[in-house]
Amino acid sequence: GFAMTSGAFEALAYDSMVEVKQEKNYPVVASRAGTIFPIVSITCALLGGLLWKYNIYLPWVATIVSFSIACILSFKFTEPSVDTYVFSWKQFVAQNKLGLQQLLTPKLKKYLPILFTLFASSYMLTAGIVRIFIGQQFGYDGETLSYLVSFVMLVSSVSIFYLNKIKNFFGNTYGFVALTLFAALGWILSGLFVESLLLGALVYIL
């Protein structure tokens, strides 16, 4: 579901702004949306922990209610009359073929093992109940885990602003190696230690 909506919001927003001849302000709108998203995510994570404190089912109920409201409101979206990019299967195949060719260029090909390692590590941690089980292993419950996740998201949001400086400091090769080592260290710690809130926080940050 998330993969199918990826890019759809941006396309809807941009075409809507083209329709009213405000496309030059799209970077501002995109920037504001990028700022609001982590704020909302952090706030919802905190609220989820507070709700769990009173009843373990309340976060699920709140999620269902929120998605239901969003679903109802989505029917009020108006399809822009302007379509800056007309979809066709031919273009779809050509665009994916071009992306694959870019990945397999000699410049990027050497980074593919590291990239797949990072993506797999990130997906394993964030998908499903793996993150919850790791949190429980270190002694976190539903409430304290939500606070930890909020803190990690805050650290991630702040670090994004320094991404270029970090990239320039390490360089591409050493940067990828460092990220891989950090991810590996996090998984090693999660397999060696239990019942440590401090180490659990370190694992989540890594």
Side-chain angles (χ1 to χ4, degrees):
F2 287 108
M4 294 179 66
T5 59
S6 177
F9 169 77
E10 290 81 0
L12 179 64
Y14 183 78
D15 287 347
S16 298
M17 297 186 72
V18 171
E19 188 175 31
V20 295
K21 303 186 186 308
Q22 293 292 326
E23 65 270 19
K24 64 180 181 181
N25 294 323
Y26 176 76
V28 177
V29 174
S31 176
R32 289 178 179 175
T35 303
I36 292 173
F37 179 77
I39 294 176
V40 173
S41 299
I42 293 171
T43 303
C44 289
L46 290 172
L47 289 175
L50 292 175
L51 291 174
W52 187 93
K53 181 179 180 180
Y54 295 101
N55 190 302
I56 61 174
Y57 297 107
L58 282 179
W60 294 98
V61 173
T63 301
I64 294 172
V65 171
S66 300
F67 271 91
S68 300
I69 294 174
C71 180
I72 294 172
L73 292 177
S74 68
F75 286 101
K76 292 189 176 183
F77 288 165
T78 302
E79 184 72 22
S81 59
V82 177
D83 196 353
T84 55
Y85 182 85
V86 180
F87 175 82
S88 71
W89 285 107
K90 183 178 179 180
Q91 289 179 331
F92 174 79
V93 173
Q95 196 70 23
N96 281 274
K97 183 178 179 181
L98 178 62
L100 183 60
Q101 290 175 346
Q102 292 292 327
L103 281 175
L104 296 178
T105 55
K107 186 177 181 180
L108 290 177
K109 195 173 182 180
K110 60 182 179 180
Y111 296 121
L112 287 182
I114 297 178
L115 284 172
F116 283 124
T117 300
L118 291 173
F119 287 144
S121 176
S122 176
Y123 181 79
M124 287 175 64
L125 179 61
T126 57
I129 59 177
V130 175
R131 179 171 59 182
I132 299 175
F133 280 155
I134 292 178
Q136 290 179 337
Q137 172 184 315
F138 285 102
Y140 288 91
D141 58 19
E143 180 184 3
T144 54
L145 183 60
S146 71
Y147 301 152
L148 175 59
V149 171
S150 299
F151 174 72
V152 172
M153 287 193 292
L154 180 61
V155 172
S156 301
S157 301
V158 172
S159 64
I160 291 175
F161 291 100
Y162 299 96
L163 187 59
N164 285 332
K165 291 183 178 180
I166 296 173
K167 177 183 175 182
N168 293 332
F169 179 79
F170 285 104
N172 290 330
T173 302
Y174 291 112
F176 277 127
V177 171
L179 286 174
T180 307
L181 291 175
F182 287 151
L185 178 60
W187 286 108
I188 291 172
L189 291 176
S190 66
L192 294 177
F193 299 96
V194 295
E195 298 298 330
S196 174
L197 297 180
L198 182 60
L199 284 175
L202 179 60
V203 167
Y204 269 70
I205 292 175
L206 291 174

